Amino acid sequence: MTGDRILDAALVARVMSGAEAAAQIGPRETLAFSGFAGAGRPKAVPEALGEVQEWPAGIDVRHSRVAQHALSGFYGALDVAVVEVAAVLPDGLLVPGSSVGNSQTWLDLADTVILEVNSRHPRGYEGFHDIHHGPRLPLLRAPIQLTTPMQRIGDPFMLVDPAKVVAVVETDRPDEGTPSSPIDELSRTMADLVVDFLRHEVRHDRLHRSLLPLHAGAGPVPDAVLAGLQKAEFEHLTAYTDTIHDGLLDLLDSGKLIGVSATSLALSEAGSRRFDGDVHHYKGRVLLRPQEISNHPEVICRLGLIAIDSMTEVDIHGNVNAVDGSSDFAGNAHLNFFVAPSTTEQGTVSRVVPSVSRVDHTAHEVQVVVTEQGVADLRGLSPAARARRIIDSCAHPDFREQLTEAAESARPYR
């Protein structure tokens, strides 16, 4: 594999096994691994190390801010970066693999670097990436000059100082596949409501027939929305999101979607085989960026995204407890949807509650809530009207009386 994958003569001499590379890491050194949503994560070195605590550890922060916080020193020093790539070119140029994530930041910050060169990633991945380099901290950084989803603003390669690379490990192993969410009738019902709402917005001239760039989060309902768009009348769609699921691949294959920008693939095993087996078919229509760009609030706001995300629960005030990953997109989108069944699977617990257990999105930014019961368009409503709309349109009938009592007892709703 070395011949066509590792083209830097100095780094060829540093090829070793995963166990030998792991031995280069000291017992108290901090480690950062590449990868996003399971894709592009190194495999041999973490396996040789056993259980480790990754850096930064245990943080709960928006994905768009991790790199900035790390560069600002919020998480302390980084000793070692272990980064998976598809190829190593001369002079420190790296061809990323199935994700970008924060890899370039880890390469910049780490004292030493270990590269895993994974031949399972097609050599044709070269050209799929857009790595934005430049000042990234306050007072020095400039506006992100990105005005369309598929615009390039960087370089196709990551950069590393070859002197920092202490080991290169050759692998040939797939990413862990992301299973496709099963789309049941309940999910299709909610997806139909979302697609019909988009039609309503087009009829009232609030959206164009090609809509706006799409973000579809994780879960069966966003997946069902993508499947619904496959059959809908909308054409020439684009997507600006963090991960590329099988549903987006389907839209690309059908021609409905003309391009998608993300930071990572998140395909099923079948989807990965389809993508890697015909990788040149997707070149120019798939672009992978650092997650601080894919999730950048400034860019999301400028592009005017339509964000469709799953939620765990919503309260009568309009606050949402959402599935991880929604915050950057929904909070800055032109139009956001939060979707979930009105009850848990057994039907004994309402997902519409008097007060959510955790607030990921406040009522000030939640626009449209969808359950199988219906759609609550909360735009332009007072707190009392929001409560009535959510209860009447989205709550299961078994819980509406109880929720109405809770709304009437809450002082802002009297």
Side-chain angles (χ1 to χ4, degrees):
M1 179 176 76
T2 302
D4 69 328
R5 294 286 181 151
I6 306 172
L7 304 180
D8 187 299
L11 296 185
V12 169
R14 298 173 206 170
V15 173
M16 61 186 72
S17 70
E20 290 170 326
Q24 305 284 322
I25 301 171
R28 291 184 176 84
E29 291 188 315
T30 53
L31 302 174
F33 295 151
S34 63
F36 190 96
R41 182 177 171 83
K43 299 159 181 70
V45 173
E47 186 176 88
L49 286 170
E51 187 175 345
V52 296
Q53 186 172 13
E54 288 185 58
W55 179 97
I59 63 168
D60 182 11
V61 65
R62 296 189 176 192
H63 291 153
S64 62
R65 298 181 180 176
V66 175
Q68 178 185 327
H69 289 181
L71 288 164
S72 298
F74 292 2
Y75 308 136
L78 173 60
D79 296 314
V80 184
V82 185
V83 176
E84 182 180 89
V85 297
V88 177
L89 307 183
D91 302 319
L93 299 180
L94 306 175
V95 178
S98 53
S99 74
V100 179
N102 287 315
S103 294
Q104 185 60 63
T105 300
W106 302 161
L107 292 168
D108 292 341
L109 287 177
D111 294 331
T112 59
V113 172
I114 296 173
L115 299 176
E116 285 199 11
V117 184
N118 189 351
S119 63
R120 189 62 61 95
H121 297 317
R123 190 64 178 80
Y125 273 7
E126 185 173 335
F128 270 86
H129 307 85
D130 185 58
I131 311 302
H132 180 258
H133 304 282
R136 294 145 70 190
L137 291 178
L139 299 182
L140 296 176
R141 62 186 176 203
I144 305 298
Q145 300 293 332
L146 203 162
T147 56
T148 62
M150 300 306 291
Q151 180 183 350
R152 287 182 173 271
I153 58 172
D155 301 316
F157 309 109
M158 297 189 298
L159 300 175
V160 66
D161 179 357
K164 291 168 57 170
V165 180
V166 298
V168 179
V169 179
E170 297 176 304
T171 65
D172 182 11
R173 294 167 63 174
D175 290 325
E176 292 184 10
T178 303
S180 297
S181 304
I183 300 176
D184 55 19
E185 285 305 315
L186 204 62
S187 298
R188 288 193 185 93
T189 297
M190 288 180 276
D192 289 344
L193 291 171
V194 172
V195 174
D196 283 343
F197 191 94
L198 295 174
R199 290 190 179 105
H200 176 269
E201 294 296 284
V202 171
R203 284 196 300 270
H204 287 79
D205 295 324
R206 288 191 286 265
L207 287 176
H208 189 267
R209 283 177 296 177
S210 58
L211 304 180
L212 288 166
L214 301 170
H215 158 74
V221 184
D223 284 352
V225 172
L226 295 178
L229 290 172
Q230 190 78 258
K231 302 174 183 178
E233 65 274 18
F234 310 115
E235 301 284 348
H236 307 296
L237 303 174
T238 59
Y240 191 88
T241 186
D242 50 358
T243 54
I244 299 175
H245 298 277
D246 287 20
L248 287 171
L249 212 59
D250 294 338
L251 286 169
L252 281 171
D253 287 345
S254 71
K256 284 275 188 175
L257 187 71
I258 60 175
V260 53
S261 169
T263 192
S264 176
L265 303 177
L267 301 171
S268 67
E269 290 183 13
S272 292
R273 288 194 298 270
R274 180 170 27 141
F275 186 86
D276 291 348
D278 196 11
V279 68
H280 293 290
H281 170 68
Y282 298 103
K283 187 166 286 187
R285 299 193 295 154
V286 170
L287 201 56
L288 299 181
R289 311 177 187 273
Q291 73 183 60
E292 63 183 306
I293 302 298
S294 69
N295 291 50
H296 202 294
E298 174 193 339
V299 176
I300 292 168
C301 186
R302 181 184 302 120
L303 295 180
L305 267 59
I306 298 171
I308 306 157
D309 284 291
S310 300
M311 63 181 178
T312 303
E313 56 186 2
V314 59
D315 66 26
I316 56 177
H317 313 283
N319 302 307
V320 164
N321 179 354
V323 173
D324 181 51
S326 66
S327 54
D328 289 315
F329 291 94
N332 297 285
H334 175 76
L335 178 63
N336 63 47
F337 295 84
F338 289 97
V339 294
S342 62
T343 65
T344 56
E345 290 181 13
Q346 296 76 21
T348 57
V349 178
S350 175
R351 293 186 187 275
V352 181
V353 296
S355 182
V356 292
S357 56
R358 161 179 163 150
V359 178
D360 291 306
H361 298 277
T362 70
H364 305 94
E365 62 188 25
V366 174
Q367 296 177 338
V368 185
V369 175
V370 180
T371 71
E372 83 287 355
Q373 299 296 322
V375 177
D377 182 357
L378 307 180
R379 297 173 296 179
L381 298 185
S382 67
R386 277 202 305 267
R388 288 193 297 271
R389 181 72 58 85
I390 291 170
I391 295 168
D392 293 343
S393 300
C394 293
H396 191 279
D398 291 350
F399 299 96
R400 286 177 186 167
E401 183 178 351
Q402 177 184 351
L403 292 166
T404 299
E405 291 174 358
E408 290 174 349
S409 65
R411 181 170 297 174
Y413 302 92
R414 290 177 180 171

